[in-house]
Amino acid sequence: EIVAAIDTALGGEGPLSGLTAIVTSGPTHEAIDPVRYIANRSSGRQGHAIAAALAGLGANTLLVTGPVSQPDPAGVRVAKVETAEEMLRACQEGLPADILVCAAAVADWRVAKTAGQKIKKEDGGKLPVLSLTTNPDILATLSKPGRKRPRLVIGFAAETENLEANARSKRERKGCDWILANDVSDTNGIFGGAENEILVIDTAGQESWPRMDKQAVAQRLAQRVAQHFANRKKR
Amino acid sequence: EIVAAIDTALGGEGPLSGLTAIVTSGPTHEAIDPVRYIANRSSGRQGHAIAAALAGLGANTLLVTGPVSQPDPAGVRVAKVETAEEMLRACQEGLPADILVCAAAVADWRVAKTAGQKIKKEDGGKLPVLSLTTNPDILATLSKPGRKRPRLVIGFAAETENLEANARSKRERKGCDWILANDVSDTNGIFGGAENEILVIDTAGQESWPRMDKQAVAQRLAQRVAQHFANRKKR
């Protein structure tokens, strides 16, 4: 890891040298008021590992992360954000990039009007109503065709049912190139855990990876990205 | 700290020896569905430090904590919970106790009906409505007069405005003995930060502590608790 970081710092050669990557990681926190928020479960382990793995293969990498307790990976620039809107802005500021991996668990909704003061709990009073509004869709926004679109856009699909169908439909809806789908049901310990079990869906079809360490998933993904760019060079 | 832990483990003498304490710490997470939740901001730093400080003075201490990235303090039993209901249950199972310190930032509300599967985001579809219901009030429940009521119940009031009035009213509403009030406005960096600035409100009146390290707040509180029990013995 240290060697990889030094390699990168010195512009050492790797299969992704000369390419730039942006990786999102962690959850976003959407404030309800100064003390309460809505969040997604996400440890940031998978996204952080992917940023480290891409940098390890020589990519100039920016990690855009929500609030996590993971340490910053070595050899990577890190932008720390809290909300989905901040995360989108940080990604846009990082463009242009060749590779984008959206591994963050972005909150789909936020509260329409954040309260400036703590909402008081009135004993026996009525409950507050949380009116939600839709957050920007980071993956769909950055997948839109155009001059600034990264050449390879990779999304994640965290599902609790109908993994393949939901992931395949997500890839088409978002307009990204690859989807890495995983089952995050309560029972399998993937959320916040050390391991992951991935189904990769791309234009060519699908590829099922065995359950492995999140570090190993990151290495395998970085290798697949390197292979993709190697194939493009040849053509 | 290590010396204190060894003292406690060996049943060493301290001003709180022979007394039992329960301390709650951290936030609670209330699930919306398998991947989303509502939470309060809380690092658990203050509650964890208080548990360690009480144990350091000889109290047999149980720490009941929501999800935090703080390490378990030495010399303390730790019960890890996620929701307000679980936190209340863990405290009740820890009774009887002489001292109860409620430092957790418990979510006042939870979603009335947690979804068993991830709520799908329908593009262009309607937004989900989050119907909330009131969580059990841990401080008020455990402050109720009765055979099992701890002899000294201490609550926290995290306020963003009208600190003293809100804290005073909270003490009366909840029925606890002391309230430690602090201002958690965005601007002062107390939330998640290393320092705290406390106003103590008890039957006798109020006491303003200067801004200090959260460890120092914990030590000062533990000393005040020890003094309280020393005074009671004398009478």
Side-chain angles (χ1 to χ4, degrees):
Chain A
E1 195 171 281
I2 290 166
V3 172
I6 292 168
D7 273 1
T8 310
L10 298 176
E13 280 304 298
L16 296 177
S17 294
L19 298 178
T20 54
I22 301 175
V23 180
T24 72
S25 185
T28 66
H29 287 182
E30 311 292 334
I32 297 171
D33 67 18
V35 301
R36 302 180 180 93
Y37 61 92
I38 298 178
N40 273 27
R41 288 181 211 280
S42 171
S43 64
R45 281 188 185 206
Q46 188 63 79
H48 279 53
I50 290 168
L54 293 172
L57 295 191
N60 178 351
T61 304
L62 169 66
L63 172 65
V64 179
T65 179
V68 294
S69 51
Q70 299 293 316
D72 292 350
V76 162
R77 283 170 297 131
V78 180
K80 294 185 181 174
V81 300
E82 183 153 326
T83 68
E85 288 181 311
E86 290 167 7
M87 186 172 276
L88 175 59
R89 201 157 45 234
C91 289
Q92 285 170 329
E93 285 169 6
L95 293 176
D98 300 292
I99 303 152
L100 171 67
V101 183
C102 291
V106 180
D108 292 315
W109 308 289
R110 66 179 185 277
V111 175
K113 201 172 177 316
T114 300
Q117 301 297 340
K118 183 177 177 185
I119 302 167
K120 298 304 291 179
K121 176 185 174 186
E122 309 287 347
D123 289 325
K126 65 182 203 304
L127 294 163
V129 174
L130 295 188
S131 296
L132 300 179
T133 188
T134 306
N135 260 334
D137 187 321
I138 296 175
L139 180 58
T141 303
L142 300 178
S143 292
K144 277 200 192 106
R147 196 176 45 85
K148 281 202 160 179
R149 186 190 190 280
R151 292 153 70 194
L152 180 63
V153 180
I154 303 169
F156 271 77
E159 305 290 343
T160 57
E161 54 185 349
N162 305 328
L163 184 66
E164 189 191 325
N166 280 338
R168 201 168 283 285
S169 134
K170 183 170 181 176
R171 195 184 80 84
E172 281 161 29
R173 240 170 31 244
K174 306 293 184 185
C176 61
D177 302 301
W178 303 352
I179 281 275
L180 271 61
N182 58 357
D183 182 336
V184 294
S185 298
D186 257 5
T187 44
N188 65 13
I190 282 175
F191 250 143
E195 295 188 327
N196 213 342
E197 191 173 331
I198 295 287
L199 179 72
V200 183
I201 292 179
D202 62 13
T203 37
Q206 67 179 63
E207 188 180 300
S208 197
W209 293 356
R211 188 173 176 123
M212 57 179 111
D213 193 82
K214 286 180 180 175
Q215 304 288 340
V217 167
Q219 293 299 337
R220 182 153 175 178
L221 178 63
Q223 293 292 347
R224 198 181 203 270
V225 168
Q227 190 59 51
H228 172 82
F229 281 97
N231 290 344
R232 284 167 66 112
K233 263 189 214 156
K234 282 186 213 132
R235 268 180 275 163
Chain B
E1 194 171 279
I2 290 165
V3 172
I6 292 168
D7 274 1
T8 310
L10 299 175
E13 280 306 297
L16 294 177
S17 293
L19 297 178
T20 54
I22 301 175
V23 179
T24 72
S25 185
T28 65
H29 287 182
E30 311 291 336
I32 297 171
D33 67 18
V35 302
R36 303 180 179 94
Y37 62 92
I38 298 178
N40 272 28
R41 289 181 209 280
S42 171
S43 64
R45 280 190 186 205
Q46 189 61 80
H48 279 54
I50 290 169
L54 293 172
L57 296 191
N60 178 350
T61 304
L62 169 67
L63 172 65
V64 179
T65 179
V68 295
S69 51
Q70 299 293 316
D72 293 349
V76 163
R77 282 169 298 133
V78 180
K80 294 185 180 175
V81 299
E82 184 154 325
T83 68
E85 290 181 310
E86 289 166 7
M87 186 172 275
L88 175 60
R89 201 157 43 231
C91 289
Q92 285 170 327
E93 285 168 6
L95 294 176
D98 300 291
I99 304 153
L100 171 68
V101 183
C102 290
V106 181
D108 291 318
W109 308 289
R110 67 178 184 276
V111 175
K113 201 173 175 321
T114 301
Q117 301 296 341
K118 185 176 176 184
I119 301 168
K120 298 305 292 179
K121 178 185 174 187
E122 310 287 347
D123 288 325
K126 64 182 204 303
L127 294 162
V129 174
L130 295 188
S131 296
L132 300 179
T133 188
T134 306
N135 260 333
D137 187 323
I138 296 175
L139 180 58
T141 303
L142 300 179
S143 292
K144 278 201 191 108
R147 197 174 44 85
K148 282 201 159 179
R149 186 190 190 279
R151 291 152 71 192
L152 180 62
V153 179
I154 303 170
F156 271 78
E159 305 289 343
T160 58
E161 55 184 349
N162 306 327
L163 184 66
E164 188 190 325
N166 279 339
R168 201 168 283 286
S169 133
K170 182 169 181 175
R171 196 185 80 84
E172 280 161 30
R173 240 169 33 243
K174 305 292 184 185
C176 62
D177 301 301
W178 303 353
I179 280 276
L180 270 63
N182 57 356
D183 184 335
V184 294
S185 298
D186 257 5
T187 45
N188 63 13
I190 281 176
F191 250 144
E195 294 188 329
N196 213 342
E197 191 173 332
I198 294 288
L199 180 72
V200 184
I201 292 180
D202 61 14
T203 37
Q206 66 179 63
E207 188 180 300
S208 199
W209 293 358
R211 189 173 175 124
M212 58 178 113
D213 193 83
K214 286 180 180 175
Q215 305 288 341
V217 167
Q219 293 298 336
R220 183 153 174 179
L221 178 63
Q223 293 292 346
R224 198 181 203 269
V225 168
Q227 191 58 52
H228 171 82
F229 281 97
N231 290 345
R232 284 167 66 112
K233 263 190 213 152
K234 280 186 212 132
R235 269 179 275 161

